[in-house]
Amino acid sequence: MLEVFKIWFHQGKQYIPDVTTVEVPGIFRGRPIITTQPIDEKQLVELCPTGAIGASPVSIDLGRCTFCGECAIQFPEKISFTKDFKLATNQRSRLIVKEGDMNPITVNPELIRKEIYRLFRGSLKLRQVSAGGDNSCEWELNAVSNVNFDMGRFGIEFVASPRHADGLVITGPITENMAEPLRIAYEATPEPKIIIVAGVDAISGGIFEGSPALNRSFLDKYPIALYIPGNPVHPLSFINGVLSLIRTKTK
Amino acid sequence: MNYLSIKNNQRVALESIPTLAYEVFYHEVVTHLMTGEDAHCVNYFGIPSGKEVKLICCIANDALGTIQVVATLADPEKMIPSLSSKIMAFHAFEREIHENFGIQYVDHPWLKPIRYPFDRATKQCQISNYPFYKIESEELHEVGVGPIHAGVIEPGHFRFICNGEQILHLEIQLGYQHRGLEHLFVEKKGLLQRATLAENIAGDTVVGHTSTFANVWESLCGFTASEKLQFDRALALEHERIAIHTGDLSAICTDVAYQLGSSVFGRLRTPVINYFQQWCGNRLAKSLIRPGKTNFPSTPQLAEKWFEVFHAYEPHFTEMALQMFDLPSVLSRIEKTGVVSRETALDIGAVGMAARASGLKRDVRSSHPTGYYEKTSYQPIMGQVGDVHARSKIRFDEINTSIAFIKNMLNQMPQPDGEIKPLDSPAPGSFVLSMTEGWRGEICHCAITGSKGELLLYKIKDPSFHNWLALALAVRNNEISDFPICNKSFNLSYCGHDL
Ligand code: SF4
């Protein structure tokens, strides 16, 4: 028994006291900043593996970016990634960061359904569905509940059954073979419900975009409450994203 | 000689692989290549060749350190005898060949779909109508689990046939994660696109799969990775092993309701994966490994950081692990649970950590070493019993071994590279097979180029491809409530299997 107490004692405090302001250790490729410096745009656009970079004006679509960092390495005077992990928004177009845009990425309160703040701000239960996810987003979504990130403290939890859930979190590019199970899980979730798409694969298909093995029609049929970029989604991006959705007061 | 003998990572002309008549090929494989315990099939796949399908079979011989490659032509119109009827380990490869090309086998014991790829030979096979094995009996009942599971994990369907609480039979149906990866490898022409695909084969084995891809590509292009590049890849591989094994110990504790172990191993994993973040900006090491270069070479500062992380990790890890492996309430759940005998592991061609836990020595680092490992004489960690305990204990031992291995490495970090020569284009008409010991086990990628050096085929095999059957057999006669713990003890990849 003494051994167990020793182990307890040795753990000290492991949780991150404030997940909204903590700094990520080391290198982190978060929200990019694109300068207005002229460069060879064609070359820049072509180097991106997922077609996330647009030209005139130069832009990066965070819904397609894998955060590989290659563009910032090849064109350091043009593109840099800040350590800002708050990348989530409820507006797909806001994921496109343009030249000169230095603003944080936030949710648009106008687009949040009224009942979300009323019903979910203190308690949100989510059912995660991996639909072709490569197990990296799934890993990070498990990590959000560990003792370090401890998302449970905000009343946000993953649950086993869609019947107990207030919404779905989708990871992966949505394979043809998962299209039907995903639809069934969504239908089994009681109203009112939300859909969160987490990670580049889920948002745009990522590197799998256009693969004949996908069926992404689900996303066209139902409203998306939140997009959270990342490859994979960082736990801090996820927690902050969900908090911004459920804690933003709407009129 | 009726076959071509190659080394891991060696480039050969596609034409130099002997193509034999099916009967001769069959005889060659069964009687000359699959001899003794050291021989096992690491890849066997098809590539269309006119109306026929060229089948290429790659048998590794662990004692010789070579891979024997032999080919044949099969006609989808004709029935042929299956290798699986003689050697069970071929079952999944032949099922895949049947599913992709419609090759028909007279006597395959279990000719069922593998992953329902989008380009399968017949669309009559649908994932919703998988032909599950059935036993008619009033005493027995079936339990279906998935494809969506209770936790935050990937999808797959498990169908149990139980007698009361006892599992008689488990059938695992996969394919839900199929993203058309091998097709995309050929389709997408950019090297960075392909490296990104490699990173996404299995997001929990980023280093394993991406360094295998880098090795294949460099071999195709006749590029020899510098000492420093090889060093960095081995460092990342062993670090990945520590990270995932630590997380797995946490998950195993969770599944036996041992809260302390679950939390402590869980939080110990955090600084380990954060180390990748500090190294390359991604907790799972995406963006770290690239063919012919790296954007994030290791540095003496990073080495120092590593020692710092493990200085804090080691005492807490050791104290927790010793406690876990000494606790009767944990031991009673993991000992003699989910046993895979050595014989079974050998029969089904199990690989990696799970095979070693059953006493079967399968470790690419020692049998077919490449890169940095060629300079070491790595001794595989072995288990014996093949139960959940053995698969947990081997993780503990491998974590310690990898820590010692890295410490040793970091004391002799090679000089940084100067200007690295850019990669040439891949050689035409070539074949390369590359194997890496990922944390799960043997990863094997094969590539074939056409007459202009263009990629014709990229074939990926995750160790899970072999080991899913080990899980299905391990749970027989166990209580169904022990299934989660058996499953965690293997921690197999769904996406790595489904591609
Ligand atoms: S970091 Fe994003 S935008 Fe830049 S090259 Fe990589 S995927 Fe493209």
Side-chain angles (χ1 to χ4, degrees), chain B residues 417-494:
Chain B
D417 284 323
E419 186 88 349
I420 297 187
K421 201 168 83 48
L423 285 167
D424 289 332
S425 28
S430 305
F431 172 83
V432 171
L433 175 150
S434 186
M435 288 194 286
T436 305
E437 189 71 16
W439 64 267
R440 275 193 189 93
E442 174 194 287
I443 295 166
C444 180
H445 294 192
C446 294
I448 292 177
T449 56
S451 57
K452 294 187 193 72
E454 78 284 13
L455 197 57
L456 287 183
L457 177 88
Y458 199 79
K459 195 73 206 144
I460 302 156
K461 188 209 68 186
D462 186 85
S464 309
F465 192 68
H466 299 278
N467 286 2
W468 275 110
L469 183 59
L471 170 63
L473 298 177
V475 298
R476 285 191 181 173
N477 298 321
N478 282 247
E479 296 211 351
I480 192 161
S481 54
D482 278 336
F483 171 71
I485 175 72
C486 292
N487 189 19
K488 273 314 149 48
S489 75
F490 286 94
N491 189 9
L492 299 172
S493 178
Y494 299 78

Side-chain angles (χ1 to χ4, degrees), chain A:
Chain A
M1 200 57 203
L2 193 61
E3 283 305 311
V4 175
F5 282 124
K6 266 204 222 157
I7 294 175
W8 276 356
F9 179 73
H10 287 160
Q11 304 314 310
K13 277 206 187 102
Q14 290 297 336
Y15 71 99
I16 299 169
D18 188 349
V19 291
T20 59
T21 56
V22 63
E23 182 166 335
V24 185
I27 317 169
F28 183 76
R29 285 181 288 278
R31 178 174 52 86
I33 289 179
I34 310 169
T35 65
T36 46
Q37 183 141 350
I39 42 106
D40 181 347
E41 293 192 4
K42 187 165 176 282
Q43 210 189 335
L44 176 64
V45 168
E46 275 173 9
L47 83 91
C48 178
T50 48
I53 303 182
S56 44
V58 172
S59 64
I60 296 183
D61 179 356
L62 298 184
R64 298 170 100 178
C65 171
T66 66
F67 296 87
C68 71
E70 198 66 41
C71 53
I73 290 167
Q74 307 283 347
F75 293 89
E77 69 289 1
K78 185 74 186 165
I79 293 173
S80 58
F81 285 88
T82 69
K83 280 177 118 180
D84 182 4
F85 48 72
K86 292 178 186 164
L87 302 171
T89 177
N90 52 352
Q91 206 170 355
R92 180 66 182 86
S93 58
R94 183 62 191 100
L95 291 180
I96 300 172
V97 175
K98 297 203 181 74
E99 254 179 19
D101 180 358
M102 311 276 275
N103 297 322
I105 295 168
T106 52
V107 294
N108 179 350
E110 310 267 302
L111 297 176
I112 305 179
R113 277 158 35 209
K114 271 194 225 66
E115 66 270 23
I116 292 187
Y117 179 76
R118 187 163 55 86
L119 295 173
F120 300 145
R121 70 176 185 276
S123 163
L124 178 71
K125 307 293 167 217
L126 297 167
R127 170 64 248 198
Q128 196 273 337
V129 179
S130 169
D134 72 351
N135 206 24
S136 60
C137 275
E138 292 75 5
W139 260 74
E140 291 296 51
L141 294 183
N142 276 309
V144 300
S145 307
N146 72 15
V147 294
N148 306 103
F149 296 104
D150 190 21
M151 184 172 69
R153 65 180 120 168
F154 304 111
I156 312 166
E157 263 171 4
F158 288 106
V159 292
S161 168
R163 299 245 186 256
H164 303 156
D166 304 314
L168 296 187
V169 178
I170 303 171
T171 56
I174 313 189
T175 58
E176 172 71 53
N177 293 349
M178 266 309 280
E180 181 64 4
L182 172 62
R183 191 191 60 76
I184 295 172
Y186 182 72
E187 292 199 339
T189 313
E191 296 276 0
K193 53 189 163 187
I194 59 172
I195 299 172
I196 297 173
V197 286
V200 55
D201 292 352
I203 298 174
S204 68
I207 193 70
F208 304 106
E209 196 178 352
S211 164
L214 305 184
N215 175 354
R216 294 175 53 77
S217 59
F218 177 89
L219 297 179
D220 305 329
K221 289 196 199 111
Y222 304 102
I224 310 297
L226 194 66
Y227 302 91
I228 315 179
N231 177 39
V233 167
H234 193 279
L236 292 170
S237 304
F238 188 80
I239 299 175
N240 281 284
V242 177
L243 283 177
S244 70
L245 176 71
I246 61 177
R247 292 200 170 169
T248 301
K249 246 197 182 144
T250 40
K251 274 172 254 152

Side-chain angles (χ1 to χ4, degrees), chain B residues 185-186 188-198 213 217 455:
Chain B
F185 259 96
V186 176
K188 307 227 176 215
K189 309 288 182 218
L191 185 53
L192 184 54
Q193 289 182 314
R194 285 171 175 157
T196 308
L197 283 169
F213 168 69
W217 200 260
L455 197 57

Side-chain angles (χ1 to χ4, degrees), chain B residues 277-397:
Chain B
Q277 173 99 54
Q278 284 162 311
W279 185 353
C280 70
N282 188 296
R283 303 215 310 160
L284 288 121
K286 289 186 177 181
S287 72
L288 179 60
I289 314 279
R290 294 286 176 256
K293 67 167 193 179
T294 175
N295 287 331
F296 306 95
S298 64
T299 59
Q301 292 76 12
L302 276 165
E304 215 170 280
K305 184 75 215 162
W306 189 91
F307 280 109
E308 217 174 275
V309 170
F310 279 87
H311 185 71
Y313 171 100
E314 273 193 284
H316 291 171
F317 172 72
T318 311
E319 122 186 305
M320 188 62 251
L322 292 181
Q323 177 73 11
M324 171 190 170
F325 288 108
D326 195 38
L327 203 65
S329 59
V330 171
L331 294 179
S332 72
R333 289 291 309 278
I334 65 176
E335 278 179 340
K336 301 201 182 65
T337 306
V339 177
V340 179
S341 70
R342 186 173 188 284
E343 207 186 355
T344 303
L346 187 64
D347 279 352
I348 64 173
V351 293
M353 183 196 72
R356 295 195 289 278
S358 294
L360 181 64
K361 204 187 242 180
R362 291 276 186 262
D363 196 321
V364 176
R365 287 171 292 176
S366 71
S367 55
H368 305 271
T370 54
Y372 185 85
Y373 296 101
E374 256 178 298
K375 283 169 258 163
T376 65
S377 46
Y378 182 84
Q379 286 303 318
I381 309 291
M382 299 297 295
Q384 222 175 352
V385 188
D387 55 1
V388 173
H389 179 269
R391 286 185 293 275
S392 310
K393 185 68 183 1
I394 209 163
R395 287 179 164 96
F396 170 65
D397 294 336

